[in-house]
Amino acid sequence: MARRIITRRLQSTRAPAQIDSYFDKVVKYIPADVVAAWTLVSGLIASAGEQVSQSALLWAAYGFGIVMTSLWTWRQTQVKGLPVAKTQIGIATVAFAVWVAALGGPFELLPSYQRLYGSLLLIAYTLVVGVIVPPEG
């Protein structure tokens, strides 16, 4: 399955591309590969103990994850002849941030952080983004 969301079908001589359903859009909007990398990196940082500044490393890894999500989604959604998938890139980048908030990460270091709120936000965000139709289709 290609990563770019398909919202319309044009006539051509080759096999037509299927328009993405709600479920397809949810799957393509969530940057599972970057979230998986985050899970590994945050686990490695946590296992380092007090030998390193976990706070600084978590925030740096989070910033790197934001940038990588944008760049990785941009790369995976490039299709010759179509404009940049700005909507999909933006939604995927915010999705990464929401996943990190739900998993804890550097947000656990903030005094007012509650994992429950991050988890509820993740549920709501995931359900809502599937109805968004990117205009760059």
Side-chain angles (χ1 to χ4, degrees):
M1 167 186 346
R3 186 72 176 256
R4 186 168 181 121
I5 293 174
I6 300 170
T7 58
R8 60 183 155 210
R9 192 173 11 178
L10 302 175
Q11 292 180 339
S12 74
T13 56
R14 56 188 169 140
Q18 295 296 327
I19 295 175
D20 286 323
S21 67
Y22 169 86
F23 179 74
D24 295 327
K25 287 187 279 184
V26 168
V27 169
K28 290 179 178 184
Y29 278 139
I30 306 303
D33 38 8
V34 183
V35 171
W38 166 261
T39 304
L40 175 63
V41 168
S42 63
L44 290 171
I45 293 170
S47 69
E50 296 179 17
Q51 301 168 5
V52 298
S53 172
Q54 290 188 8
S55 175
L57 280 176
L58 283 171
W59 283 111
Y62 174 69
F64 181 76
I66 292 287
V67 171
M68 278 306 301
T69 301
S70 298
L71 294 174
W72 190 243
T73 306
W74 170 73
R75 184 174 185 270
Q76 290 185 325
T77 57
Q78 287 181 326
V79 174
K80 187 177 181 179
L82 292 179
V84 174
K86 293 176 189 172
T87 304
Q88 188 172 349
I89 293 167
I91 290 172
T93 303
V94 173
F96 172 76
V98 170
W99 269 92
V100 172
L103 294 172
F107 298 105
E108 286 183 318
L109 304 169
L110 302 175
S112 61
Y113 173 79
Q114 294 289 325
R115 190 172 282 199
L116 170 65
Y117 301 142
S119 298
L120 292 173
L121 177 62
L122 176 62
I123 294 166
Y125 189 81
T126 302
L127 291 173
V128 169
V129 297
V131 300
I132 298 173
V133 178
E136 304 89 9

